[in-house]
Amino acid sequence: DSGVTQTPKHLITATGQRVTLRCSPRSGDLSVYWYQQSLDQGLQFLIQYYNGEERAKGNILERFSAQQFPDLHSELNLSSLELGDSALYFCASSVWGVPNYGYTFGSGTRLTVV
Amino acid sequence: SQQGEEDPQALSIQEGENATMNCSYKTSINNLQWYRQNSGRGLVHLILIRSNEREKHSGRLRVTLDTSKKSSSLLITASRAADTASYFCAIISSGSRLTFGEGTQLTVNP
């Protein structure tokens, strides 16, 4: 157990639907990062939050949004889902806002869009 | 691309042999990190080497960094079947995000 908790572990949903992925960072970590991993795109950075505020944005689609709550857990919302959104979605956390230390990753949410 | 690029893409060796994976990048870096991912699982941080360091060890892992050549290598000595995984190098690109390469798939045959 890495200390980063992601739920659910698996999610199967239909095209056009909306889902919410949840992440609880390791205790004491203020920064949360979301990554998407697919076979053809590799690990793609989506978005980072630090202590409740958006810090950096990557290749995140407009259909996707995220937030970090006062208790530091984060949610990634994916809407109008398409087949191509099927992927592993990882959350990672770190103490600070800059990666001078390693990230701690959760075990991921496997999203299948049918 | 600013991300690290690993070489080779795939590596198959026998248990007990050493495995070497290489990473090249294009930008100046603050640090370079190596991660391992078992199939379908989360990434595990292995080691971080700062730009002013040339070599770092952790157990059976040895990482080198050559900032003049913009390259790093990860050596796993006396490999075991349990080392079978994908290995990624990661660098800081713009801002504070870590950018990962495509990874090297290592297979250690018993």
Side-chain angles (χ1 to χ4, degrees), chain B residues 62-83:
Chain B
R62 172 179 167 247
V63 169
T64 62
L65 179 64
D66 186 333
T67 53
S68 67
K69 294 182 179 178
K70 290 187 166 54
S71 67
S72 173
S73 67
L74 171 68
L75 168 68
I76 303 174
T77 60
S79 62
R80 306 165 181 168
D83 294 328

Side-chain angles (χ1 to χ4, degrees), chain A residues 33 35 37 41-43 45 48 55-58 88 90 97-103 105-107 110, chain B residues 3 30-31 33 35 37 40-45 48 50 88 92 94-102:
Chain A
Y33 310 82
Y35 284 83
Q37 186 178 37
Q41 295 283 332
L43 263 164
F45 170 75
Q48 177 202 357
R55 173 64 70 91
K57 217 166 185 176
L88 267 169
F90 288 107
V98 291
N100 287 323
Y101 303 90
Y103 288 5
F105 276 80
S107 56
R110 182 175 293 280
Chain B
Q3 67 190 36
N30 179 272
N31 65 64
Q33 305 180 26
Y35 287 79
Q37 183 181 32
R41 308 289 295 274
L43 282 80
V44 175
H45 178 255
L48 179 153
R50 304 189 192 283
F88 296 86
I92 303 173
S94 59
S96 57
R97 74 187 77 168
L98 266 184
T99 304
F100 290 82
E102 296 294 319

Side-chain angles (χ1 to χ4, degrees), chain B residues 1-22:
Chain B
S1 167
Q2 295 177 325
Q3 67 190 36
E5 296 181 2
E6 290 91 344
D7 169 61
Q9 288 187 323
L11 181 61
S12 182
I13 60 174
Q14 296 299 124
E15 231 174 2
E17 294 181 340
N18 295 340
T20 300
M21 288 157 270
N22 302 297

